[in-house]
């Protein structure tokens, strides 16, 4: 079942969408109906006193799309925001999956793909990554069929920390019979690996990114999807009109005006991650440290359950990934401030 990108007509993309959504009319907000200069706003039952938050936000977050488009060198008309990329994962699943359709993912990976499939009553088909966390391409390809709607690829991957080989990525995007979503939540730690500059080559590709990780803004909940115009239209059709609130928009605009501040923090975290990897490797309780291009490390311990509980007792919380395939005895450790990382190392030295 191999298709080349040239086969992706709009009609073919449309055939992947749940039929009832193709003619669905999006909610038309008071603010999006008028054209012209707004001097007196008596259209939306808002409070008239200017407080910075008395007006409904722009449903299309236009200024934010322009700012992000400028920073990413990407067409703002092909961007949609979600209340975190979590929301986009759910929306994308609901656009393409009828109950019984299949989505594919490669555990160990991010948990929301499976949750979203469960909500949409879609079948979650897991093809485990190989023990070195590369993709078993032939096995994955043999798992998809005419029910397959979405392939979730996460690069760099959470929790393994590695990125997908670009040649493998390209092959999978070209050969998958449905929509490929590339989750680039950690791309700010390795921007040179982003597929965003190549998105136009792949009409069936959606890329998602977030301000939650490298940008340090998990609390404002802002994720972005980048895709071909037809897919953007569908995302705008089903999204709640005011999913991005004015406080989020304001803080995100401010951050995008000073990307060098983000860069300094990203560089600091990369250095701390490398230091952690080096110092952890010298500890007796550590068995293996997987290479990472993110702000976290997946570490195999000799007895992860014991280390996990011991750290908790010391007031240090890491994430136990032992339940995930090929991640037995593994803990995921986020790089923190130097002093926090020191505390972790000190605790482990006295284990
Ligand atoms: C953290 C994370 C996200 C969640 O991003 P939000 O924008 O905070 O919802 C998405 N994908 C992966 C792989 C993540 O690790």
């Amino acid at each position: 079942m191999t298709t080349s990108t040239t086969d992706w007509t709009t009609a073919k993309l449309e055939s992947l969408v749940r039929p009832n959504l193709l003619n669905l009319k999006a909610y038309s907000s008071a603010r999006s109906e008028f054209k012209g200069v707004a001097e007196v706003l008596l259209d939306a039952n808002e409070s008239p006193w200017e407080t910075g938050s008395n007006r409904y936000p722009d449903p299309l977050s236009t200024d934010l799309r322009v700012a992000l488009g400028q920073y990413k060198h990407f067409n703002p008309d092909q961007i949609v925001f979600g209340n975190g990329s979590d929301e986009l994962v759910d929306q994308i699943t609901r656009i393409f999956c009828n109950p019984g359709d299949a989505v594919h993912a490669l555990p160990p990976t991010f948990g929301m793909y499976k949750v979203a499939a469960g909500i949409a009553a879609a079948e979650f088909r897991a093809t485990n990554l190989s023990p070195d966390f590369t993709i078993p391409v032939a096995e994955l390809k043999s798992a998809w069929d005419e029910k397959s709607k979405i392939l979730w690829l996460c690069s760099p991957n959470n929790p393994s920390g590695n990125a997908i080989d670009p040649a493998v990525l390209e092959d999978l995007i070209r050969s998958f019979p449905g929509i490929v979503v590339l989750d680039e939540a950690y791309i700010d730690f390795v921007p040179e690996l982003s597929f965003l500059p190549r998105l136009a080559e792949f009409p069936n590709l959606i890329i998602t990114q977030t301000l939650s990780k490298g940008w340090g803004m998990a609390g404002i909940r802002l994720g972005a999807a980048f895709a071909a115009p037809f897919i953007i239209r569908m995302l705008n059709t089903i999204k709640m009109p005011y999913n991005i609130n004015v406080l989020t928009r304001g803080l995100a605009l401010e951050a995008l005006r000073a990307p060098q501040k983000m860069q300094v923090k990203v560089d600091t975290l990369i250095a701390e991650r490398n230091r952690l990897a080096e110092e952890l490797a010298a500890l007796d309780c550590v068995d293996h440290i997987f290479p990472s291009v993110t702000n976290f490390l997946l570490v195999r311990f000799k007895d992860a359950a014991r280390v996990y509980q011991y750290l908790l007792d010391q007031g240090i919380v890491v994430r136990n990934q032992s339940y995930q395939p090929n991640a037995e005895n593994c803990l995921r450790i986020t790089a923190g401030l130097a002093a926090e990382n020191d505390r972790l190392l000190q605790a482990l030295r006295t284990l």
Side-chain angles (χ1 to χ4, degrees), residues 45 80 90 227 322:
N45 299 346
V80 174
D90 177 60
S322 300

Side-chain angles (χ1 to χ4, degrees), residues 77-99:
D77 293 336
Q78 288 177 248
I79 302 175
V80 174
F81 292 114
N83 191 306
S85 43
D86 283 353
E87 186 182 47
L88 296 164
V89 171
D90 177 60
Q91 289 168 342
I92 291 165
T93 306
R94 286 188 291 116
I95 288 172
F96 296 103
C97 291
N98 286 297

Side-chain angles (χ1 to χ4, degrees), residues 83-87 110 113 154 156 158 183 185-186 209-213 218 221-223:
N83 191 306
S85 43
D86 283 353
E87 186 182 47
F110 187 53
Y113 314 140
C154 187
N158 174 10
D183 183 339
Y186 296 93
Q209 298 183 357
T210 176
L211 263 63
S212 293
K213 306 288 161 57
R221 312 304 303 128
L222 191 72

Side-chain angles (χ1 to χ4, degrees), residues 134-135 137 140-141 144 151 153 155 163-176 180 182 192-195 198 201-202:
T134 56
I135 296 179
V137 173
L140 172 61
K141 288 185 176 179
W144 69 52
L151 169 60
L153 298 174
S155 184
I164 302 171
D165 176 341
V168 170
L169 245 176
E170 176 165 354
D171 172 40
L172 291 176
I173 299 167
R174 287 190 195 283
S175 49
F176 187 66
V180 175
L182 179 57
E192 66 276 16
L193 291 187
S194 179
F195 254 50
R198 297 188 57 189
E201 293 173 49
F202 311 109

